[in-house]
Amino acid sequence: MKWLVFAFLICVAAIGRAQVDPWNFAGQFPHFRDLSGLPGAGFGVTAKGLPSIEGAMAISTPIGFSLADGYFDIGLSCRSVDNTPRFFQFSSPGNDISSGTGQIMGGFKTPIGTLTISLEVLSSELDSVANAQLQLPIHWDKGGVSVGIQNIWNRPEAASDYVSGETDLSRSYFAVATYELAKGSFLSLGDGDVRFRGVFGSVSAMPAKRFKVLAEYDTFGWNPGVAYSLGQIPNLGTHYDKNEATVAFSMIQLHRSTITVNFAF
């Protein structure tokens, strides 16, 4: 437990260092760097697929758990161009200093595992991509293994606009495993191509009730974050009695701050 917190603090300590804008180059996939559009992106998911702050969590990288059958998530991430937190602005001048990404996903039971299908909205013009993740039917109480694909239809909007040398290839395959090291503490490791161009991973831990600290390596650099569960939203009816709202703050490659809000139910 202590080494997870220590790793997180090391990442936070590096925030003050001068940073070069990580998205001024081809192949950076900025629209996927604040939310993955996959389970665990800014909200926790347990080994059984239930949304909970006690589950595994990441920022822009996959985890090994899929949402359980009949569970859904709606999320929005507001990303700043620097370390100053800002909310998403719809006006063109506003997009010069802040932007955002939205996600909606649901879990479905299949004969070969639990499948999460998601739609990720990349811009105020509603450019969007579809993603899919399948948690394999491996009987592992504290862990899980998933395979998936980000940007199924290879929509070119996912690439960096107006950057010299950028290509239209942004469909990405991945495989990832997650294991619960201690109650509320998880380690995820995976490998992929294109956006996930190699080994990636994340750690998350619960130092206090409703509070999560996390850090991930997304193959581009380190992204630390913190999250807090607002608990359940009452009076939604018996069909939505199991729900959780989560707010998270993270730093993408120690350069751009994000504020993320998720409602899972």
Side-chain angles (χ1 to χ4, degrees):
M1 178 67 159
K2 292 182 178 179
W3 71 268
L4 292 176
V5 178
F6 178 76
F8 172 78
L9 293 176
I10 290 295
C11 293
V12 173
I15 291 175
R17 298 175 56 188
Q19 299 290 326
V20 176
D21 190 339
W23 293 341
N24 284 339
F25 309 97
Q28 299 298 298
F29 306 103
H31 299 297
F32 292 142
R33 302 285 291 280
D34 51 356
L35 277 181
S36 65
L38 298 164
F43 70 104
V45 181
T46 69
K48 294 183 178 180
L50 306 179
S52 170
I53 193 70
E54 296 183 354
M57 186 184 299
I59 302 167
S60 64
T61 56
I63 62 171
F65 304 149
S66 173
L67 280 175
D69 182 53
Y71 282 86
F72 300 87
D73 174 75
I74 299 173
L76 174 67
S77 180
C78 305
R79 181 183 67 241
S80 177
V81 298
D82 52 30
N83 293 344
T84 302
R86 296 184 178 92
F87 288 102
F88 178 70
Q89 300 181 33
F90 288 94
S91 64
S92 296
N95 287 334
D96 292 335
I97 60 173
S98 65
S99 186
T101 304
Q103 63 185 20
I104 180 169
M105 67 185 75
F108 305 91
K109 186 178 181 180
T110 77
I112 56 173
T114 307
L115 178 68
T116 296
I117 298 292
S118 71
L119 179 70
E120 190 170 8
V121 180
L122 307 180
S123 73
S124 58
E125 287 76 30
L126 301 183
D127 296 324
S128 59
V129 301
N131 312 309
Q133 177 175 317
L134 178 70
Q135 183 175 348
L136 303 177
I138 299 173
H139 299 291
W140 197 7
D141 291 340
K142 293 188 175 183
V145 178
S146 290
V147 295
I149 177 172
Q150 189 178 61
N151 192 4
I152 296 172
W153 311 120
N154 193 37
R155 295 292 298 272
E157 294 89 345
S160 301
D161 296 329
Y162 313 115
V163 174
S164 177
E166 185 62 273
T167 70
D168 289 338
L169 179 61
S170 54
R171 180 192 295 115
S172 306
Y173 298 94
F174 63 86
V176 59
T178 296
Y179 186 75
E180 187 173 13
L181 302 171
K183 184 175 176 57
S185 300
F186 297 83
L187 170 67
S188 298
L189 287 175
D191 198 358
D193 66 357
V194 191
R195 156 52 183 117
F196 301 112
R197 57 183 189 182
V199 177
F200 59 84
S202 64
V203 292
S204 59
M206 283 190 68
K209 185 177 180 180
R210 290 194 176 188
F211 185 68
K212 201 90 169 183
V213 293
L214 60 151
E216 69 176 14
Y217 178 73
D218 67 355
T219 75
F220 295 99
W222 287 96
N223 309 321
V226 295
Y228 181 76
S229 171
L230 301 176
Q232 291 189 351
I233 298 177
N235 304 320
L236 292 181
T238 57
H239 185 65
Y240 302 112
D241 61 341
K242 295 181 179 180
N243 67 77
E244 185 175 61
T246 306
V247 177
F249 173 79
S250 60
M251 297 295 300
I252 306 303
Q253 206 168 336
L254 305 177
H255 181 80
R256 300 193 181 208
S257 64
T258 67
I259 303 170
T260 303
V261 179
N262 275 277
F263 174 55
F265 55 98

